[in-house]
Amino acid sequence: MSVRLFQRFISSIKQNLPKHAKLVKTGPLKLQIETMSVATKEIENDDHLVDKQRTRFQQRQRKRQWEFNENKKGNSECEAKKLCDQPFERIKRKKMAMLLGYCGVDYFGMQRNPGVKTIEEDLLQALLGAKYITEEDFVNQQNAQFQRSSRTDKGVSAARQVVSVKLPLEVNVDEINKRLPECIRVFGIKRVTNKFNSKSKCNARTYSYTLPTYVFEKAVCTDEERKVYRISAEKQNLVNQLLGHYKGTKSYHNFTEKKHHQDPSASRYMMSFTMKKIFIESEVEFAELLVKGQSFMLHQIRKMVGLVIVIARGQADQGMIDKAFGKEKVMIPTAPGLGLMLDKVHYERYDTRYKDSHESLTWEDLDDTIEKFKMEHIHPNVVKGEIEGRNMALWLEKIEKHSFDPNDYVMEDKDDNIQDDDDDEKVDADIENDEDEREIDIDKNNAERNVCDTDIKNGEQVEDIKGNNIDGVVKHNNGNTDSTDVISVSEDKKENTCV
């Protein structure tokens, strides 16, 4: 037992005694230990340096803060305690939905455009004059989260346009209207959710197109015959049958500009398209066509109406509608934009979801006021343009020799009376592509030789292209486009832009 105790005592002493590295570790192991110790010292020095730099930075920051506070004390009181030179009142603003109507005959569209007369410019001026928006909001309307439900182009009117914008809780519609011209009226304002967007929350739009009924009869030529013409029930059924072909989801690549048949953005959903009512004004019979769709593209409605007119007059067979929805390129005539009007914007899904917390956006209580505005400011301009300006009669003369074949393109004279229709974004994709588009300027002196000079934007190379090898949209010098000013195009030249 004594031997075991002695051994335990010796082992405990060995464990407690300090070990000398130089004595027990030699050779490569000793070199490794010394290297690790040097590296450890360098890391400690780096950490010390970082801590030292951080300390110096904190000291400089404290010094600047101290100097800043001294300067404020030297200039009397703190700025936070200084009285403002001008009285300042903080106005609490909330998201609102504004319903308005306008006659767009003398305007260059709804969207704000510097240097030209637009609906948004007059509306924002009125809101600024009523002190419902600030100067910063007027300069940059996105500060007030301004958004239109549908973008209408030159000459197109609207009976129920909806705009979302942040406004004070107490808003007087009369204060806005007295600062607006007679052709623009705000009908009502309602509180909506904070994330409400008048464009993205819209699930459908309804447009109306007013035109004289004689356009469907080719035998009517003189002004006297046009006044006494009345559409027959058979012709009316034919027109409704043709309009019914547009119902459903189809590719409308031939009903707009610069779209390929495989372009997904050309697919649109039409819910209905019918001849709603017939009325007589100034001895001329007019018809109102109503189309309801999820969204529309540039010139789409005007081309849809133009194709129906041509088929009803017997200038093309009904198979042309099916051909227009096919893969081939078809030159469809574009009807004038004078009779086009945004009639209603639908928010059924929004109303269903927030029916318990927010007001409905159907605006049914304002129908009488809106109809009165339409009859006083919109319809008279349409009738005047058709009777005095012979807007549709001149267009019918142009399409007498219209060809649907892209290779038989014929240059027509520029008509300043032709307007542009609505240009909606597709709601499903919610895509807005602002890329620069290609502009093609055609010299009329070289039109007979089928040669045009193509001027490409963004500094690209200028090249001469034969007229029968181009696929694009011909633009006049003023930027307006017309369906007849389109030439056939190779698929590789198409630009996939969603306007």
Side-chain angles (χ1 to χ4, degrees), residues 415-490:
D415 187 358
D416 293 334
N417 294 327
I418 293 181
Q419 312 286 354
D420 287 338
D421 65 334
D422 182 76
D423 181 11
D424 287 336
E425 326 299 330
K426 188 168 183 182
V427 178
D428 287 342
D430 199 23
I431 298 174
E432 187 169 317
N433 190 348
D434 294 330
E435 296 178 356
D436 293 337
E437 296 181 357
R438 177 183 301 176
E439 293 185 358
I440 304 175
D441 297 327
I442 292 188
D443 187 1
K444 291 185 178 180
N445 297 328
N446 297 330
E448 298 178 356
R449 295 180 294 171
N450 276 339
V451 178
C452 65
D453 297 332
T454 305
D455 185 11
I456 308 299
K457 282 186 173 181
N458 299 328
E460 294 182 8
Q461 183 178 359
V462 178
E463 56 183 5
D464 294 332
I465 308 175
K466 296 290 183 180
N468 56 2
N469 291 331
I470 304 175
D471 191 71
V473 179
V474 179
K475 286 194 176 182
H476 295 304
N477 291 332
N478 61 357
N480 294 335
T481 59
D482 189 8
S483 70
T484 54
D485 295 337
V486 180
I487 49 182
S488 82
V489 188
S490 60

Coordinates of all heavy atoms in Angstrom, one line a residue, residues 415-490:
D415 N -53.7 63.1 -92.1 CA -55.0 63.7 -91.7 C -54.9 64.1 -90.2 O -54.8 63.3 -89.3 CB -56.1 62.7 -91.8 CG -57.5 63.4 -91.6 OD1 -57.5 64.6 -91.2 OD2 -58.5 62.7 -91.7
D416 N -54.9 65.5 -90.0 CA -54.7 66.0 -88.7 C -55.9 65.7 -87.8 O -55.9 65.9 -86.6 CB -54.4 67.5 -88.7 CG -53.0 67.7 -89.3 OD1 -52.1 66.8 -89.3 OD2 -52.8 68.8 -89.9
N417 N -57.1 65.4 -88.5 CA -58.3 65.2 -87.7 C -58.4 63.9 -87.0 O -59.2 63.7 -86.2 CB -59.5 65.4 -88.6 CG -59.6 66.8 -89.1 OD1 -59.3 67.8 -88.4 ND2 -60.1 67.0 -90.3
I418 N -57.5 62.9 -87.4 CA -57.6 61.6 -86.8 C -56.9 61.7 -85.5 O -55.8 62.2 -85.3 CB -56.8 60.6 -87.7 CG1 -57.7 60.4 -89.0 CG2 -56.7 59.3 -87.0 CD1 -57.1 59.4 -90.0
Q419 N -57.6 61.2 -84.5 CA -57.2 61.3 -83.1 C -56.6 59.9 -82.7 O -56.8 58.9 -83.3 CB -58.3 61.7 -82.2 CG -59.1 62.9 -82.7 CD -58.4 64.2 -82.5 OE1 -57.3 64.2 -81.9 NE2 -58.9 65.2 -83.0
D420 N -56.0 59.9 -81.5 CA -55.5 58.6 -80.9 C -56.5 58.2 -79.8 O -57.0 59.0 -79.1 CB -54.1 58.9 -80.3 CG -53.1 59.0 -81.4 OD1 -53.3 58.5 -82.5 OD2 -52.0 59.6 -81.1
D421 N -56.6 56.9 -79.7 CA -57.6 56.3 -78.7 C -56.8 56.0 -77.4 O -55.7 56.3 -77.2 CB -58.3 55.1 -79.3 CG -57.3 54.0 -79.5 OD1 -56.1 54.2 -79.8 OD2 -57.7 52.8 -79.5
D422 N -57.5 55.2 -76.6 CA -57.0 55.0 -75.3 C -55.8 54.0 -75.3 O -55.7 53.2 -76.2 CB -58.1 54.4 -74.4 CG -57.6 54.1 -73.0 OD1 -57.4 55.1 -72.3 OD2 -57.3 53.0 -72.7
D423 N -54.9 54.1 -74.4 CA -53.7 53.3 -74.3 C -53.6 52.7 -72.9 O -52.9 53.3 -72.1 CB -52.5 54.2 -74.7 CG -51.2 53.5 -74.7 OD1 -51.3 52.2 -74.7 OD2 -50.2 54.1 -74.8
D424 N -54.3 51.6 -72.7 CA -54.2 51.0 -71.3 C -53.1 50.1 -71.2 O -52.6 49.5 -72.1 CB -55.5 50.2 -71.1 CG -56.7 51.1 -70.8 OD1 -56.5 52.3 -70.5 OD2 -57.8 50.7 -71.1
E425 N -52.6 49.9 -69.9 CA -51.6 48.9 -69.6 C -52.4 47.6 -69.3 O -53.5 47.6 -68.9 CB -50.8 49.2 -68.4 CG -50.5 50.7 -68.3 CD -49.7 51.3 -69.4 OE1 -48.9 50.5 -70.0 OE2 -49.9 52.4 -69.7
K426 N -51.8 46.4 -69.6 CA -52.4 45.2 -69.2 C -52.4 45.0 -67.7 O -51.3 45.0 -67.1 CB -51.7 44.0 -69.9 CG -52.5 42.7 -69.7 CD -51.9 41.6 -70.6 CE -52.8 40.4 -70.5 NZ -52.3 39.3 -71.3
V427 N -53.6 44.7 -67.1 CA -53.7 44.7 -65.7 C -53.1 43.4 -65.1 O -52.4 43.4 -64.1 CB -55.2 44.8 -65.3 CG1 -55.3 44.7 -63.8 CG2 -55.8 46.1 -65.8
D428 N -53.2 42.3 -65.8 CA -52.7 41.0 -65.2 C -51.2 41.1 -65.0 O -50.7 40.7 -64.0 CB -53.1 39.9 -66.2 CG -54.6 39.5 -66.1 OD1 -55.2 40.0 -65.1 OD2 -55.1 38.9 -67.0
A429 N -50.5 41.4 -66.1 CA -49.0 41.5 -66.0 C -48.6 42.7 -65.2 O -47.5 42.7 -64.6 CB -48.4 41.5 -67.4
D430 N -49.4 43.8 -65.3 CA -49.0 45.0 -64.6 C -47.6 45.5 -65.0 O -46.8 45.9 -64.1 CB -49.1 44.8 -63.1 CG -49.2 46.2 -62.4 OD1 -49.6 47.2 -63.0 OD2 -48.8 46.3 -61.2
I431 N -47.4 45.5 -66.3 CA -46.1 45.8 -66.8 C -46.2 47.1 -67.5 O -47.1 47.4 -68.3 CB -45.6 44.7 -67.8 CG1 -45.5 43.4 -67.1 CG2 -44.3 45.1 -68.5 CD1 -45.2 42.2 -68.0
E432 N -45.2 48.0 -67.3 CA -45.1 49.2 -68.0 C -43.7 49.5 -68.5 O -42.8 49.8 -67.7 CB -45.6 50.4 -67.0 CG -45.7 51.7 -67.8 CD -46.4 52.7 -66.9 OE1 -47.4 52.4 -66.2 OE2 -45.9 53.8 -66.8
N433 N -43.5 49.3 -69.8 CA -42.2 49.4 -70.4 C -42.0 50.7 -71.0 O -42.8 51.1 -71.9 CB -42.1 48.3 -71.5 CG -40.7 48.1 -72.0 OD1 -39.8 49.0 -71.7 ND2 -40.4 47.1 -72.7
D434 N -41.1 51.5 -70.4 CA -40.8 52.9 -70.9 C -39.6 53.0 -71.8 O -39.0 54.0 -71.9 CB -40.7 53.8 -69.7 CG -41.9 53.9 -68.9 OD1 -43.0 53.8 -69.5 OD2 -41.8 54.1 -67.7
E435 N -39.3 51.9 -72.5 CA -38.1 51.9 -73.3 C -38.4 52.8 -74.6 O -39.5 52.9 -75.0 CB -37.7 50.5 -73.8 CG -37.3 49.6 -72.7 CD -37.0 48.2 -73.2 OE1 -37.2 48.0 -74.4 OE2 -36.6 47.4 -72.3
D436 N -37.3 53.3 -75.1 CA -37.5 54.2 -76.3 C -37.9 53.3 -77.5 O -37.4 52.2 -77.7 CB -36.2 54.9 -76.7 CG -35.8 55.9 -75.6 OD1 -36.7 56.4 -74.9 OD2 -34.6 56.2 -75.5
E437 N -38.9 53.8 -78.3 CA -39.4 53.1 -79.4 C -38.7 53.6 -80.7 O -38.2 54.7 -80.7 CB -40.9 53.3 -79.5 CG -41.7 52.7 -78.4 CD -43.2 52.9 -78.6 OE1 -43.5 53.5 -79.6 OE2 -43.9 52.5 -77.7
R438 N -38.7 52.7 -81.7 CA -38.2 53.1 -83.0 C -39.1 54.0 -83.7 O -40.3 53.7 -83.8 CB -37.9 51.8 -83.8 CG -37.4 52.1 -85.2 CD -37.2 50.8 -85.9 NE -36.3 49.9 -85.2 CZ -36.0 48.7 -85.6 NH1 -36.6 48.2 -86.7 NH2 -35.2 47.9 -84.9
E439 N -38.6 55.0 -84.3 CA -39.4 55.9 -85.1 C -39.0 55.8 -86.6 O -37.8 55.9 -86.9 CB -39.3 57.4 -84.6 CG -39.9 57.6 -83.3 CD -39.9 59.0 -82.9 OE1 -39.4 59.8 -83.7 OE2 -40.4 59.4 -81.8
I440 N -39.9 55.7 -87.5 CA -39.7 55.6 -88.9 C -40.3 56.7 -89.6 O -41.5 56.9 -89.6 CB -40.2 54.2 -89.4 CG1 -39.6 53.1 -88.6 CG2 -39.9 54.1 -90.9 CD1 -40.1 51.7 -89.1
D441 N -39.5 57.6 -90.2 CA -40.0 58.8 -90.9 C -39.9 58.5 -92.4 O -38.8 58.2 -92.9 CB -39.2 60.0 -90.5 CG -39.3 60.4 -89.1 OD1 -40.4 60.1 -88.5 OD2 -38.3 60.9 -88.5
I442 N -41.0 58.6 -93.1 CA -41.1 58.3 -94.5 C -41.2 59.6 -95.3 O -42.0 60.4 -95.0 CB -42.3 57.4 -94.8 CG1 -42.0 56.0 -94.2 CG2 -42.5 57.3 -96.3 CD1 -43.0 55.0 -94.6
D443 N -40.3 59.8 -96.2 CA -40.3 60.9 -97.1 C -41.4 60.7 -98.2 O -41.4 59.7 -98.9 CB -39.0 61.1 -97.8 CG -38.9 62.4 -98.6 OD1 -39.9 63.1 -98.6 OD2 -37.9 62.6 -99.2
K444 N -42.4 61.5 -98.3 CA -43.5 61.3 -99.3 C -43.0 61.4 -100.7 O -43.6 60.8 -101.6 CB -44.5 62.4 -99.1 CG -45.3 62.2 -97.7 CD -46.4 63.2 -97.6 CE -47.2 63.0 -96.4 NZ -48.3 64.0 -96.3
N445 N -41.9 62.1 -100.9 CA -41.4 62.1 -102.3 C -40.8 60.8 -102.8 O -40.8 60.5 -104.0 CB -40.3 63.2 -102.4 CG -40.8 64.6 -102.1 OD1 -42.0 64.9 -102.4 ND2 -40.0 65.4 -101.5
N446 N -40.4 59.9 -101.8 CA -39.9 58.6 -102.2 C -40.9 57.5 -101.9 O -40.5 56.3 -102.0 CB -38.6 58.3 -101.3 CG -37.5 59.3 -101.6 OD1 -37.5 59.9 -102.7 ND2 -36.7 59.6 -100.6
A447 N -42.2 57.9 -101.6 CA -43.1 56.8 -101.3 C -43.4 56.0 -102.5 O -43.7 54.8 -102.4 CB -44.4 57.4 -100.8
E448 N -43.5 56.6 -103.7 CA -43.8 55.8 -104.9 C -42.7 54.8 -105.3 O -42.9 53.8 -105.9 CB -44.0 56.8 -106.1 CG -45.2 57.8 -105.9 CD -45.3 58.7 -107.1 OE1 -44.4 58.6 -108.0 OE2 -46.3 59.5 -107.1
R449 N -41.5 55.0 -104.8 CA -40.4 54.1 -105.1 C -40.2 53.1 -104.0 O -39.3 52.3 -104.1 CB -39.1 54.9 -105.3 CG -39.1 55.8 -106.5 CD -37.8 56.6 -106.6 NE -37.6 57.5 -105.5 CZ -36.5 58.1 -105.2 NH1 -35.4 57.9 -106.0 NH2 -36.4 58.9 -104.2
N450 N -41.1 53.1 -103.0 CA -41.0 52.1 -101.9 C -39.7 52.1 -101.2 O -39.2 51.1 -100.8 CB -41.3 50.7 -102.4 CG -42.8 50.4 -102.5 OD1 -43.6 51.1 -101.8 ND2 -43.1 49.4 -103.2
V451 N -39.2 53.3 -101.0 CA -37.9 53.5 -100.3 C -38.1 54.4 -99.1 O -38.7 55.5 -99.3 CB -36.8 54.0 -101.2 CG1 -35.5 54.2 -100.5 CG2 -36.6 53.0 -102.4
C452 N -37.6 54.1 -98.0 CA -37.8 55.0 -96.9 C -36.5 55.0 -96.1 O -35.7 54.0 -96.1 CB -38.9 54.5 -95.9 SG -38.6 53.0 -95.2
D453 N -36.3 56.1 -95.4 CA -35.1 56.2 -94.5 C -35.5 55.9 -93.1 O -36.4 56.5 -92.6 CB -34.5 57.7 -94.6 CG -34.0 58.0 -96.0 OD1 -33.7 57.0 -96.7 OD2 -34.1 59.2 -96.4
T454 N -34.8 55.0 -92.5 CA -35.1 54.6 -91.2 C -34.1 55.2 -90.2 O -32.9 55.0 -90.3 CB -35.0 53.0 -91.0 OG1 -35.9 52.4 -92.0 CG2 -35.5 52.6 -89.6
D455 N -34.7 56.0 -89.3 CA -33.9 56.7 -88.4 C -34.1 56.0 -87.0 O -35.2 56.0 -86.5 CB -34.3 58.2 -88.3 CG -33.4 59.0 -87.4 OD1 -32.4 58.4 -87.0 OD2 -33.8 60.1 -87.0
I456 N -33.0 55.4 -86.5 CA -33.1 54.6 -85.3 C -32.6 55.5 -84.1 O -31.6 56.2 -84.3 CB -32.2 53.4 -85.4 CG1 -32.6 52.6 -86.6 CG2 -32.4 52.5 -84.1 CD1 -34.0 52.1 -86.6
K457 N -33.4 55.5 -83.0 CA -33.0 56.3 -81.9 C -31.8 55.6 -81.2 O -31.3 54.5 -81.5 CB -34.1 56.4 -80.9 CG -35.2 57.4 -81.3 CD -36.2 57.6 -80.3 CE -37.1 58.7 -80.6 NZ -38.1 58.9 -79.6
N458 N -31.4 56.3 -80.1 CA -30.3 55.8 -79.2 C -29.0 55.7 -79.9 O -28.1 54.9 -79.6 CB -30.7 54.5 -78.6 CG -31.9 54.6 -77.7 OD1 -32.2 55.7 -77.1 ND2 -32.7 53.5 -77.7
G459 N -28.7 56.5 -81.0 CA -27.4 56.5 -81.6 C -27.1 55.3 -82.5 O -26.0 55.0 -82.8
E460 N -28.1 54.5 -82.9 CA -27.9 53.4 -83.7 C -27.6 53.8 -85.2 O -27.8 55.0 -85.6 CB -29.1 52.4 -83.7 CG -29.3 51.8 -82.3 CD -30.5 50.8 -82.3 OE1 -31.0 50.6 -83.4 OE2 -30.8 50.4 -81.2
Q461 N -27.2 52.9 -86.0 CA -26.8 53.2 -87.3 C -28.0 53.5 -88.2 O -29.0 52.9 -88.0 CB -26.0 52.0 -87.9 CG -25.5 52.2 -89.3 CD -24.7 51.0 -89.8 OE1 -24.6 50.0 -89.1 NE2 -24.2 51.0 -91.0
V462 N -27.9 54.4 -89.1 CA -28.9 54.8 -90.0 C -28.7 54.0 -91.3 O -27.7 54.0 -91.9 CB -28.9 56.3 -90.4 CG1 -30.0 56.7 -91.4 CG2 -29.1 57.1 -89.1
E463 N -29.8 53.3 -91.7 CA -29.7 52.5 -92.9 C -30.9 52.7 -93.8 O -32.0 53.1 -93.4 CB -29.6 51.0 -92.5 CG -30.8 50.6 -91.6 CD -30.7 49.1 -91.1 OE1 -29.6 48.6 -91.4 OE2 -31.6 48.6 -90.5
D464 N -30.8 52.4 -95.1 CA -31.8 52.5 -96.0 C -32.5 51.1 -96.2 O -31.8 50.1 -96.4 CB -31.3 52.9 -97.4 CG -30.8 54.4 -97.3 OD1 -31.3 55.1 -96.5 OD2 -29.9 54.7 -98.1
I465 N -33.8 51.0 -96.1 CA -34.5 49.8 -96.1 C -35.6 49.9 -97.2 O -36.3 50.9 -97.3 CB -35.1 49.5 -94.7 CG1 -34.1 49.5 -93.7 CG2 -35.8 48.1 -94.7 CD1 -34.7 49.4 -92.3
K466 N -35.8 48.8 -97.9 CA -36.8 48.8 -98.9 C -38.2 48.7 -98.1 O -38.3 48.1 -97.1 CB -36.7 47.5 -99.7 CG -35.5 47.5 -100.6 CD -35.5 48.5 -101.7 CE -34.3 48.5 -102.6 NZ -34.4 49.5 -103.7
G467 N -39.2 49.4 -98.8 CA -40.5 49.4 -98.1 C -41.1 48.1 -97.9 O -41.9 47.8 -97.0
N468 N -40.9 47.1 -98.8 CA -41.5 45.8 -98.7 C -40.7 44.9 -97.8 O -41.1 43.7 -97.6 CB -41.7 45.1 -100.1 CG -40.3 45.0 -100.8 OD1 -39.3 45.4 -100.2 ND2 -40.3 44.5 -102.0
N469 N -39.7 45.3 -97.1 CA -38.9 44.5 -96.2 C -39.0 45.0 -94.8 O -38.2 44.5 -93.9 CB -37.4 44.4 -96.6 CG -37.3 43.6 -97.9 OD1 -38.0 42.8 -98.2 ND2 -36.2 44.0 -98.7
I470 N -39.8 46.0 -94.5 CA -39.9 46.6 -93.2 C -41.1 46.0 -92.5 O -42.1 45.8 -93.1 CB -39.9 48.1 -93.3 CG1 -38.7 48.6 -94.1 CG2 -40.0 48.7 -91.9 CD1 -38.8 50.1 -94.3
D471 N -41.0 45.9 -91.2 CA -42.2 45.6 -90.4 C -42.2 46.5 -89.2 O -41.4 46.4 -88.3 CB -42.1 44.1 -89.9 CG -43.4 43.7 -89.2 OD1 -44.3 43.6 -90.0 OD2 -43.4 43.6 -88.0
G472 N -42.9 47.6 -89.2 CA -43.0 48.6 -88.2 C -44.1 49.5 -88.4 O -45.0 49.3 -89.2
V473 N -44.1 50.5 -87.6 CA -45.2 51.5 -87.6 C -44.7 52.8 -88.2 O -43.7 53.3 -87.8 CB -45.8 51.7 -86.2 CG1 -46.9 52.8 -86.2 CG2 -46.3 50.4 -85.6
V474 N -45.4 53.3 -89.2 CA -45.0 54.6 -89.8 C -45.6 55.7 -89.0 O -46.8 55.7 -88.7 CB -45.5 54.7 -91.2 CG1 -45.1 56.0 -91.9 CG2 -45.0 53.5 -92.0
K475 N -44.7 56.6 -88.5 CA -45.2 57.7 -87.7 C -45.0 59.0 -88.5 O -44.0 59.2 -89.2 CB -44.4 57.8 -86.4 CG -44.7 56.8 -85.4 CD -44.2 57.1 -84.1 CE -44.6 56.1 -83.0 NZ -44.1 56.5 -81.7
H476 N -46.1 59.9 -88.4 CA -45.9 61.2 -89.0 C -45.0 62.1 -88.2 O -44.6 61.7 -87.1 CB -47.3 61.9 -89.1 CG -48.3 61.1 -90.0 ND1 -48.0 60.9 -91.3 CD2 -49.5 60.6 -89.7 CE1 -49.0 60.2 -91.8 NE2 -49.9 60.0 -90.9
N477 N -44.7 63.2 -88.7 CA -43.7 64.1 -88.0 C -44.3 64.6 -86.7 O -43.5 64.9 -85.8 CB -43.4 65.3 -88.9 CG -42.6 64.9 -90.1 OD1 -41.9 63.9 -90.1 ND2 -42.7 65.6 -91.2
N478 N -45.6 64.6 -86.6 CA -46.2 65.1 -85.4 C -46.4 64.0 -84.3 O -46.9 64.2 -83.3 CB -47.6 65.8 -85.6 CG -48.6 64.8 -86.2 OD1 -48.2 63.7 -86.5 ND2 -49.8 65.3 -86.4
G479 N -46.0 62.8 -84.6 CA -46.0 61.7 -83.7 C -47.3 60.9 -83.7 O -47.4 59.9 -83.0
N480 N -48.3 61.3 -84.4 CA -49.6 60.6 -84.5 C -49.4 59.4 -85.4 O -48.8 59.4 -86.4 CB -50.7 61.5 -85.0 CG -51.0 62.6 -84.0 OD1 -50.7 62.4 -82.8 ND2 -51.6 63.7 -84.5
T481 N -50.1 58.3 -85.0 CA -50.0 57.1 -85.8 C -51.4 56.8 -86.4 O -52.4 57.1 -85.9 CB -49.6 55.9 -85.0 OG1 -50.5 55.7 -83.9 CG2 -48.2 56.1 -84.4
D482 N -51.4 56.2 -87.6 CA -52.7 55.8 -88.2 C -52.5 54.4 -88.7 O -51.5 53.9 -89.1 CB -52.9 56.8 -89.4 CG -54.3 56.6 -90.0 OD1 -55.1 55.8 -89.4 OD2 -54.6 57.1 -91.0
S483 N -53.7 53.7 -88.7 CA -53.6 52.3 -89.1 C -53.2 52.1 -90.5 O -52.5 51.1 -90.9 CB -55.0 51.6 -88.9 OG -55.9 52.2 -89.9
T484 N -53.6 53.0 -91.4 CA -53.2 52.9 -92.8 C -51.7 53.2 -93.0 O -51.2 52.9 -94.1 CB -54.0 53.9 -93.7 OG1 -53.9 55.2 -93.1 CG2 -55.5 53.5 -93.6
D485 N -51.1 53.9 -92.0 CA -49.7 54.2 -92.2 C -48.8 53.1 -91.5 O -48.0 53.3 -90.7 CB -49.4 55.5 -91.5 CG -50.1 56.7 -92.1 OD1 -50.4 56.5 -93.3 OD2 -50.3 57.7 -91.5
V486 N -49.1 51.9 -91.9 CA -48.3 50.7 -91.4 C -47.8 49.9 -92.6 O -48.6 49.7 -93.5 CB -49.2 49.8 -90.5 CG1 -48.5 48.6 -90.0 CG2 -49.8 50.6 -89.4
I487 N -46.6 49.5 -92.5 CA -46.0 48.7 -93.6 C -45.6 47.3 -93.1 O -45.4 47.1 -91.9 CB -44.8 49.4 -94.2 CG1 -43.9 49.9 -93.1 CG2 -45.3 50.6 -95.0 CD1 -42.7 50.6 -93.6
S488 N -45.6 46.3 -94.0 CA -45.3 45.0 -93.5 C -43.9 44.8 -93.0 O -43.0 45.6 -93.3 CB -45.5 44.1 -94.7 OG -44.3 44.0 -95.5
V489 N -43.8 43.8 -92.1 CA -42.6 43.7 -91.3 C -42.0 42.3 -91.2 O -42.8 41.4 -91.1 CB -42.9 44.2 -89.9 CG1 -41.6 44.4 -89.1 CG2 -43.5 45.6 -90.0
S490 N -40.7 42.2 -91.1 CA -40.1 40.9 -90.9 C -40.1 40.7 -89.4 O -40.0 41.6 -88.6 CB -38.7 40.9 -91.4 OG -37.9 41.9 -90.8

